[in-house]
Amino acid sequence: MSPSFFEIVQLSNGDYALRRIDDDSAPLVKISFSAEAREMMEDREMDVAKAMIAAGIEAAGNVAHDIDWEEEPDSHEIRPSYTLH
């Protein structure tokens, strides 16, 4: 299996998206900024979108790292819940 490469692009509606370079299907992640947020960022939306996506990937990796993959699927043990903000 060949590795996937990703890109961050600005969509025609002004949103930012993370997608596979070789795949035109729906993006993996989309980020929308309000007009007020865009004004506060002073033309640095792409930098903020990149930082948000990088933080999300890191957080998802940390959550996946904490999963006990060898645990029985029928286990009724209480697990902590995660909220990605």
Side-chain angles (χ1 to χ4, degrees):
M1 175 184 256
S2 64
S4 291
F5 293 97
F6 301 92
E7 63 182 346
I8 298 172
V9 296
Q10 186 172 20
L11 304 174
S12 60
N13 66 357
D15 291 351
Y16 293 88
L18 175 68
R19 68 179 185 191
R20 286 186 175 87
I21 288 177
D22 59 350
D23 188 354
D24 288 334
S25 62
L28 300 168
V29 173
K30 285 195 279 185
I31 297 174
S32 299
F33 295 112
S34 68
E36 181 180 2
R38 288 179 184 278
E39 190 174 305
M40 288 189 299
M41 288 185 272
E42 300 176 350
D43 297 325
R44 293 185 299 231
E45 297 97 351
M46 177 61 96
D47 294 332
V48 174
K50 285 179 185 179
M52 291 172 73
I53 290 170
I57 291 169
E58 181 178 349
N62 290 340
V63 169
H65 183 287
D66 292 343
I67 294 174
D68 184 0
W69 295 103
E70 296 181 16
E71 185 174 317
E72 297 280 326
D74 295 330
S75 173
H76 297 288
E77 179 180 331
I78 297 174
R79 298 179 187 199
S81 63
Y82 296 96
T83 303
L84 184 60
H85 295 274

